[in-house]
Amino acid sequence: GETMNFDEYFLMDEQAVSAYIKYKTTLFETDDLTVTEIGDGNLNYVFRVSDGERSVIVKHSGHTARISDEFVLSTDRTIREGHLIQAHSRYVPDLVPDIILIDPVMKCVIMEDLKDYTILRTALQDGQLFPFLGEELGRYLAETLIRTSDFIMPAKEKKALQKEMINPELCEITEDLVYTEPFYNNFNRNELSEDLAAVVDRIVYQDSALKAAVAQAKLKFLNKAESLIHGDLHSGSIFINKSGLKVIDPEFGFFGPAGYDLGNIIAHLFFAHTHASSSGRVEQALWIERTLDEVLRTFRSQALSILQRETIDVALRDASIIAGFINEIEKDAYIVAGLEIIRRIVWIAKVSDITSLEDDRTRAETQLLRFAVFLIKYPEQVRAYSSLFTLLDSSKESVA
Ligand code: SR1
Ligand code: MG
């Protein structure tokens, strides 16, 4: 440990993290620390450091993504993530982890260890139900997205934060993986079974109207600097237990379209719902339907209440402008939900909710793809259905 130099960046392993914590902090009295790498994401390394009683997390980034050396990324992404968590914690301190230290030299963030929590995706696949999930997600979305929009955040403060949160490399990943590659046959990172390849060819690759709608959505992602978004709000980015939830891992965050985060929540609730239904868990599937309804209702009512009470700019403080703003976020979210469903089925970053299905997988994927295509092409028609799940149901037969 004594020979390591922590004044210059290098990619740390478990042994280095142990020495680093002792050098950099006074968190632990003992030298006898256990460090375990527990990350399961696509990009970074996550170390748990424990003295047997207390523990903290060290999130650390390398020059390339963990999933593949093809992605060369600045190690500053972890620093930005730490600052983004701090920015969101102004509005939802109870829904994000406590940050202990952000180290711009070693490119790591030391934060609270959420060891009493489980990743939401895992908990849902275990068949668990959380009565508060919809309301808490709705509150997270309303507080973070509305309070960082121009309605509430003073313009100069927003622009200063925008500068700090500019995130071209990780945005490029999203631009490629969500908005481009899944819609074209000629990218080698699309990965499909033979049966599904025929479906994708017919209802995705060959649909030029779909591609035009995706291009419009991509322009929005590139240009709509609306709110400080999380940028990757799937059920693997949420920790949960019986008493609450914590949103982690906003490294794809930047000032982008507010509907992006809501759309991701919608998409991953549909993956969870598909898993529950295919596993014969009717009660859990119905609870997921109610949960999505609660997310949308809570987001809408809390967004409206914040905007009505706290919009300062007289030019924006208008009932129809405020209602239009919320409606537009919802419409953008339906489109993003469609995009996220398609890319998680077509591209290599798949979700275990779907890959763990056996005989039922192609049927479920086909239904979800049809549903997703409808969301992208006809988001304004969603209102005609009593719920998004009714629309999913009608996607058994072709609605696209
Ligand atoms: C190269 S990373 C692939 C995906 O993993 C992350 O969690 C993001 O969702 C990204 O698109
Ligand atoms: Mg992630």
Side-chain angles (χ1 to χ4, degrees):
E2 278 158 46
T3 55
M4 289 184 195
N5 174 14
F6 297 111
D7 297 325
E8 202 178 321
Y9 171 83
F10 66 95
L11 184 61
M12 294 188 282
D13 59 11
E14 292 172 343
Q15 198 198 344
V17 169
S18 178
Y20 169 76
I21 283 284
K22 280 176 255 165
Y23 168 83
K24 190 76 190 175
T25 77
T26 52
L27 290 167
F28 298 100
E29 276 168 18
T30 173
D31 279 356
D32 189 14
L33 296 176
T34 309
V35 180
T36 324
E37 208 286 313
I38 55 166
D40 64 353
N42 295 325
L43 300 185
N44 306 303
Y45 301 88
V46 179
F47 300 93
R48 168 172 286 142
V49 183
S50 171
D51 65 2
E53 273 178 48
R54 290 184 56 242
S55 57
V56 295
I57 291 295
V58 178
K59 183 162 181 182
H60 184 48
S61 45
H63 289 296
T64 56
R66 193 173 176 158
I67 188 177
S68 157
D69 289 350
E70 277 177 39
F71 299 97
V72 177
L73 302 164
S74 162
T75 47
D76 285 338
R77 63 189 185 275
T78 301
I79 306 310
R80 186 187 314 100
E81 175 182 339
H83 289 144
L84 197 155
I85 293 174
Q86 287 178 326
H88 277 174
S89 77
R90 285 171 60 186
Y91 316 119
V92 282
D94 57 327
L95 298 181
V96 295
D98 290 337
I99 301 292
I100 299 165
L101 183 103
I102 299 175
D103 182 351
V105 176
M106 289 308 294
K107 315 294 184 192
C108 64
V109 176
I110 306 178
M111 63 182 112
E112 175 187 9
D113 184 7
L114 300 165
K115 60 177 178 306
D116 300 331
Y117 291 74
T118 310
I119 286 291
L120 177 61
R121 192 186 305 285
T122 312
L124 294 178
Q125 284 177 34
D126 283 350
Q128 295 189 52
L129 278 62
F130 301 92
F132 58 84
L133 179 62
E135 262 188 46
E136 287 297 75
L137 287 176
R139 174 165 72 93
Y140 171 86
L141 291 163
E143 288 290 335
T144 58
L145 300 173
I146 302 300
R147 289 191 187 281
T148 58
S149 76
D150 284 299
F151 285 80
I152 308 296
M153 187 172 268
K156 280 194 239 158
E157 190 186 326
K158 182 182 163 192
K159 287 176 181 72
L161 194 54
Q162 244 178 301
K163 194 172 159 194
E164 195 189 344
M165 292 297 150
I166 192 131
N167 197 354
E169 293 171 340
L170 296 183
C171 282
E172 187 184 43
I173 292 183
T174 305
E175 288 148 20
D176 291 344
L177 311 193
V178 177
Y179 289 90
T180 307
E181 296 190 18
F183 298 91
Y184 296 86
N185 195 12
N186 50 329
F187 288 100
N188 60 10
R189 296 186 293 205
N190 292 350
E191 201 176 66
L192 296 161
S193 67
E194 217 172 284
D195 285 349
L196 197 66
V199 175
V200 170
D201 187 56
R202 188 163 40 83
I203 71 171
V204 178
Y205 297 155
Q206 290 195 37
D207 186 343
S208 50
L210 171 66
K211 286 180 185 168
V214 173
Q216 289 297 339
K218 183 169 187 173
L219 280 172
K220 252 185 210 169
F221 186 80
L222 290 162
N223 287 293
K224 204 170 183 179
E226 199 164 48
S227 302
L228 181 57
I229 68 171
H230 177 286
D232 198 23
L233 193 51
H234 57 82
S235 49
S237 297
I238 298 165
F239 265 122
I240 196 152
N241 64 20
K242 288 291 165 209
S243 48
L245 65 82
K246 302 272 185 188
V247 175
I248 60 157
D249 205 15
E251 71 187 313
F252 284 79
F254 72 114
F255 273 86
Y260 195 80
D261 284 351
L262 177 57
N264 270 274
I265 290 289
I266 295 171
H268 289 268
L269 284 176
F270 272 89
F271 289 133
H273 184 271
T274 300
H275 188 90
S277 306
S278 287
S279 314
R281 291 199 297 259
V282 179
E283 196 195 324
Q284 193 198 19
L286 288 171
W287 166 74
I288 293 170
E289 293 182 19
R290 290 197 302 278
T291 298
L292 177 55
D293 195 48
E294 269 163 27
V295 171
L296 293 168
R297 243 178 322 113
T298 308
F299 172 71
R300 191 165 257 285
S301 70
Q302 296 196 6
L304 190 62
S305 142
I306 295 169
L307 290 166
Q308 283 174 337
R309 283 187 289 115
E310 297 183 51
T311 302
I312 294 164
D313 186 337
V314 282
L316 301 179
R317 220 180 137 80
D318 172 278
S320 68
I321 297 294
I322 287 174
F325 179 61
I326 298 174
N327 288 342
E328 191 68 17
I329 293 175
E330 220 172 73
K331 199 177 105 187
D332 285 353
Y334 296 147
I335 297 170
V336 170
L339 291 159
E340 179 69 4
I341 289 172
I342 292 179
R343 75 103 170 201
R344 294 287 186 180
I345 292 176
V346 174
W347 205 77
I348 54 171
K350 303 215 179 329
V351 289
S352 56
D353 319 39
I354 301 300
T355 55
S356 62
L357 302 179
E358 285 168 10
D359 298 346
D360 199 29
R361 179 166 167 184
T362 306
R363 184 212 57 80
E365 288 176 321
T366 305
Q367 186 180 359
L368 281 167
L369 285 174
R370 285 201 182 112
F371 169 63
V373 168
F374 187 93
L375 290 178
I376 297 169
K377 286 168 79 174
Y378 312 112
E380 63 292 329
Q381 288 185 34
V382 168
R383 278 167 190 276
Y385 292 82
S386 57
S387 89
L388 284 168
F389 289 95
T390 318
L391 177 56
L392 176 72
D393 235 26
S394 69
S395 307
K396 277 179 195 152
E397 301 306 319
S398 181
V399 293

